[in-house]
Amino acid sequence: MPNEKPKFYLTTPIYYTNGLPHIGHTYTTVIADAIRRYKRMRGYEVVMTTGTDEHGVNVERAAQKAGIPESEYVARMAVAWKALWDELGIPADEFIRTTDIRHVRTVQWLFKLCKENGYVYKGNYTGQYCIYDNAFVTDAKPGDNCPDCGRPTETVTEENYYFKLSAFQKPLLDFYKKNPHFIQPETRKNEIISFVEGGLKDLSITRTTVRWGIPVPGEEPHVFYVWFDALTAYLSAVGGPDYEKRGFWPCDLHLVGKDIIRFHSVYWPAFLMAAMLPVPKQVWAHGWFLMDASKMSKSKGNVVLPRPIANMLGMDAMRYFLMREVVFGQDGNFSYDALVTRYNSDLANGLGNLASRTAAMIEKNFGGQIPKPGPRLPQDDALAKVASEAIGEALDRFEKFEFARSLETIWAAITAADKYLTSEQPWAMGDSEADTQRKATVLWTTTELLRVVTVLAHPVLPDSTAKVWTLLGQPGRISAVELDGLRWGQLVARVQLGKAQALFPRVDKQEAIERIESMANEELNPTQPPAQAAAPAPAATAGGAAAAPAPEKIGIEDFTKVEMRVGQIKTAERIVGADKLLKLTVDIGTEIRQICAGIAQFYEPEKLIGRKVAVVVNLAPRKLRGVESNGMIVAASVGPEGRPVLAGFPDEDVEIGARLK
Ligand SMILES: [Zn+2]
């Protein structure tokens, strides 16, 4: 086919669905998304895969605990994971679930190829087994207790299929030698090479004691066990047995956490070699974000969630922080303090401020038209040189996945432009012809630098750079700009600036952190009040020192999704153990609903009976402190502690069930 774009395929891990995504998962997915955007701007056709690993004993147990079938449990989890990635603006091109039929077929096909080529045999697996949890306990010795329930384990032998991993020691070592960039970074590569040099044991790849898994055809009750199932998802996502049709295999890049590098760089290529399929080109292991120097985990209670950060500071701020703060490949510390500090210094005072002040000066002096530059002075050429060099350097560093250094280069150019404006002082110039011409040159030069850094930062800050692009009146979508064609001097004069939009409003650090933490707390402990009527007041501070980022405007079609009706409170009572909550029954015209509202500290239940209130009737039902709440009562949030004041209809006797518009 003529002019076919080169293809690039990258993946995040297929995340295990025993919980919801935290900042660690978000980190990998953000990096993948930034690489995807970058590659597209370099002319590639890109597919990015993420997904959910839905099999195994832990899922069996979680489903049992929830009292629902496994299939329903994993379907709920998959929906939640996919929805979060969509909401955060980092959606997969291919979202693969290990319960998808296309994946089931691929695993069975891969197994068949490995077996036909003589790399699979039946053997006995002996290990310590917990009869209460119905699971083998990995690494336990006879006499050890089960780490989950504390009861003694028993030595059990079961029939398994084994993969002849031992046959791949030499082929793998040869492969690493021939493909020196297969494992990155270098430290991980050395680790893996010594592991393989130490000898490889055959690998058990099926179980008969696990029920929730992909069946081995004709060999029931054997099901595939963990890695043979999960790793194969990368291939299932781009065609499985028909991978040649789509042309995205072998994979260009597997992004993984450092804890699973061995499975990706030893087991996975060995499975593919055994099946005589092409092996991926690169596995890149990144470090972890640590909280107080320890690994984040739900059980330690130090887990950081992405949604509250995105709600408070915007997704771009989180992306910037994750990619700027830590050298890719190493561990880093996560702190809200550092996050908000970077937000204010680099985004609000850096890119945001440069864009808005430059646009304001063009508006004031040139009626909002980018001016035609006059004769250049050495300082103009010096800034042009900074920007020109930033193009080459930032791209070179991004290409090597040195994201922090790439951003450093871009932000050094922004700082140079700030200094340039401070010393040129276009705002102090008069209206003489010479002054106007000089002003034109200074503002054109600054705007051109802004255009260049905006394009360079786009893969990392997709939303805000698109806004700057519009502000600068530039044609087309910024994502369609070709990085390889980016040069200094392409800014066209006499172009009218576009609409200004809020970029990165400054925030008060303490207040921002408190709000993020309270949103996170609510997400982690959804049964706790307050929630419904008494949501915390949005930050509105005197003196203008801090303001929450302005939320995006919504269209009327979004507003009409919220169905609000007049309801009348029929009964109201306190809930034992929840001093902020009242349990109400509300007549909404078509039915009587039970709704919980966080107003108990401010309203006497008996005084509420008969009162007409505004009710959001199409909110999904949820449980607050174990009590079902089906709808939401609308209230104003007043004063610093967010005292709820019920919205009502004092002027007229409105009909119950009337819709609010
Ligand atoms: Zn047990």
Side-chain angles (χ1 to χ4, degrees):
M1 229 181 280
N3 296 327
E4 200 178 334
K5 283 183 180 181
K7 290 185 160 89
F8 191 87
Y9 179 38
L10 80 164
T11 69
T12 76
I14 306 303
Y15 301 114
Y16 196 65
T17 50
N18 59 344
L20 285 172
H22 58 60
I23 201 83
H25 310 105
T26 311
Y27 178 50
T28 320
T29 313
V30 158
I31 299 272
D33 177 72
I35 294 171
R36 163 172 61 179
R37 292 176 193 271
Y38 164 83
K39 285 284 175 186
R40 285 193 177 140
M41 290 174 83
R42 290 207 101 155
Y44 286 83
E45 186 187 345
V46 188
V47 165
M48 171 191 140
T49 287
T50 188
T52 41
D53 178 3
E54 302 182 356
H55 288 128
V57 140
N58 289 330
V59 167
E60 263 178 41
R61 278 185 214 159
Q64 209 168 46
K65 217 171 138 188
I68 52 177
E70 288 91 354
S71 57
E72 194 180 326
Y73 175 81
V74 295
R76 284 185 197 176
M77 293 305 264
V79 165
W81 279 71
K82 187 172 182 303
L84 182 69
W85 300 142
D86 291 351
E87 180 189 328
L88 297 179
I90 44 181
D93 301 305
E94 288 292 345
F95 189 92
I96 185 88
R97 299 178 50 188
T98 58
T99 53
D100 284 346
I101 187 68
R102 58 176 171 160
H103 174 67
V104 170
R105 292 207 176 113
T106 305
V107 171
Q108 293 173 339
W109 168 74
L110 183 70
F111 177 77
K112 188 171 149 266
L113 294 179
C114 290
K115 202 169 168 221
E116 279 169 4
N117 295 338
Y119 293 108
V120 164
Y121 63 93
K122 235 179 213 180
N124 285 319
Y125 176 85
T126 300
Q128 293 307 111
Y129 189 82
C130 173
I131 56 164
Y132 304 98
D133 292 323
N134 293 319
F136 278 99
V137 179
T138 327
D139 298 331
K141 300 180 298 296
D144 284 357
N145 288 335
C146 165
D148 283 330
C149 68
R151 287 179 273 207
T153 57
E154 293 175 13
T155 306
V156 167
T157 297
E158 71 160 2
E159 191 189 60
N160 280 182
Y161 270 105
Y162 277 84
F163 176 79
K164 257 191 218 172
L165 189 60
S166 55
F168 289 91
Q169 182 182 25
K170 187 159 185 312
L172 281 169
L173 290 171
D174 289 347
F175 175 75
Y176 302 151
K177 197 174 253 170
K178 248 190 252 161
N179 300 276
H181 301 297
F182 175 66
I183 304 167
Q184 289 292 313
E186 288 297 308
T187 48
R188 300 283 161 231
K189 177 170 132 185
N190 299 334
E191 244 173 62
I192 293 298
I193 290 176
S194 23
F195 171 75
V196 175
E197 281 172 346
L200 295 171
K201 274 193 240 158
D202 290 350
L203 195 67
S204 151
I205 55 168
T206 69
R207 286 284 184 276
T208 54
T209 45
V210 177
R211 191 177 45 78
W212 182 243
I214 296 175
V216 182
E219 296 288 346
E220 292 82 1
H222 281 272
V223 300
F224 291 101
Y225 184 64
V226 190
W227 292 107
F228 198 86
D229 174 352
L231 291 163
T232 306
Y234 302 131
L235 181 55
S236 316
V238 288
D242 290 327
Y243 69 91
E244 279 172 322
K245 271 191 208 147
R246 284 190 66 183
F248 280 97
W249 196 265
C251 181
D252 293 278
L253 176 65
H254 289 311
L255 290 171
V256 299
K258 63 180 182 180
D259 50 334
I260 52 174
I261 180 85
R262 185 185 294 176
F263 310 111
H264 285 78
S265 58
V266 181
Y267 297 2
W268 183 222
F271 295 159
L272 292 164
M273 285 173 183
M276 304 217 285
L277 292 169
V279 172
K281 293 178 191 162
Q282 192 168 62
V283 179
W284 234 105
H286 62 74
W288 288 327
F289 269 97
L290 308 172
M291 278 296 264
D292 310 318
S294 71
K295 197 189 173 192
M296 245 175 248
S297 81
K298 210 173 169 184
S299 56
K300 281 186 205 143
N302 63 352
V303 83
V304 174
L305 300 177
R307 190 184 272 123
I309 298 172
N311 285 346
M312 179 66 214
L313 301 173
M315 189 57 194
D316 277 9
M318 177 156 60
R319 298 170 66 104
Y320 178 78
F321 180 78
L322 293 176
M323 297 186 74
R324 173 71 182 82
E325 188 71 4
V326 173
V327 175
F328 189 57
Q330 296 179 8
D331 286 347
N333 260 306
F334 188 95
S335 89
Y336 287 130
D337 194 286
L339 166 73
V340 181
T341 301
R342 274 223 183 270
Y343 172 86
N344 276 331
S345 68
D346 296 11
L347 299 179
N349 292 351
L351 178 61
N353 183 45
L354 181 65
S356 56
R357 74 202 277 224
T358 305
M361 284 188 279
I362 292 175
E363 199 61 57
K364 183 163 175 256
N365 292 284
F366 298 98
Q369 255 189 18
I370 295 171
K372 192 172 184 315
R376 293 196 310 266
L377 298 179
Q379 58 267 40
D380 310 328
D381 290 335
L383 194 70
K385 187 160 177 274
V386 168
S388 287
E389 287 175 359
I391 298 173
E393 231 173 271
L395 294 183
D396 180 52
R397 289 172 169 179
F398 202 100
E399 187 68 33
K400 294 178 186 155
F401 296 166
E402 295 171 358
F403 306 118
R405 295 192 67 205
S406 177
L407 291 168
E408 215 174 279
T409 305
I410 299 170
W411 258 256
I414 292 172
T415 305
D418 281 335
K419 280 195 185 139
Y420 170 78
L421 282 178
T422 305
S423 75
E424 294 305 308
Q425 304 204 349
W427 51 86
M429 292 175 193
D431 290 330
S432 70
E433 200 172 313
D435 269 6
T436 304
Q437 203 173 54
R438 183 64 200 140
K439 247 189 294 196
T441 307
V442 170
L443 289 178
W444 183 90
T445 305
T446 312
T447 310
E448 173 59 343
L449 178 134
L450 195 52
R451 184 188 69 91
V452 166
V453 298
T454 302
V455 171
L456 291 175
H458 180 67
V460 179
L461 302 171
D463 295 341
S464 41
T465 51
K467 287 182 188 169
V468 176
W469 194 249
T470 305
L471 173 66
L472 299 182
Q474 296 303 298
R477 285 176 302 123
I478 185 171
S479 57
V481 175
E482 283 174 20
L483 287 173
D484 294 319
L486 182 65
R487 302 277 182 279
W488 177 267
Q490 291 165 326
L491 180 70
V492 179
R494 309 266 190 255
V495 167
Q496 193 70 30
L497 294 186
K499 203 172 98 209
Q501 301 169 69
L503 282 172
F504 303 108
R506 271 189 68 84
V507 297
D508 176 79
K509 192 199 280 181
Q510 211 43 51
E511 198 176 293
I513 293 174
E514 278 167 19
R515 288 191 64 205
I516 293 170
E517 284 178 338
S518 111
M519 283 188 273
N521 192 35
E522 174 131 341
E523 204 175 315
L524 286 169
N525 307 294
T527 52
Q528 279 186 1
Q532 301 285 57
T541 17
E552 296 262 346
K553 293 270 200 304
I554 60 167
I556 185 73
E557 68 285 355
D558 286 324
F559 176 72
T560 53
K561 283 181 197 155
V562 182
E563 188 183 344
M564 279 194 279
R565 293 190 181 273
V566 176
Q568 187 173 42
I569 298 175
K570 292 293 176 188
T571 65
E573 58 186 278
R574 296 188 185 278
I575 297 171
V576 178
D579 53 9
K580 289 181 182 164
L581 275 187
L582 286 185
K583 184 167 90 178
L584 311 171
T585 52
V586 183
D587 183 353
I588 59 166
T590 49
E591 62 185 292
I592 309 271
R593 292 278 189 90
Q594 175 171 302
I595 301 176
C596 295
I599 57 174
Q601 289 166 315
F602 303 95
Y603 286 92
E604 291 295 324
E606 44 291 355
K607 289 189 184 154
L608 285 170
I609 294 165
R611 185 163 175 153
K612 286 182 180 168
V613 288
V615 183
V616 179
V617 298
N618 64 339
L619 194 71
R622 56 183 195 150
K623 279 193 170 173
L624 296 172
R625 283 290 169 101
V627 180
E628 168 119 349
S629 181
N630 189 7
M632 185 176 103
I633 311 282
V634 179
S637 179
V638 176
E641 81 274 46
R643 179 170 64 86
V645 177
L646 291 174
F649 309 92
D651 293 342
E652 203 168 322
D653 190 23
V654 293
E655 186 191 347
I656 294 168
R659 181 146 189 195
L660 274 69
K661 292 182 178 181

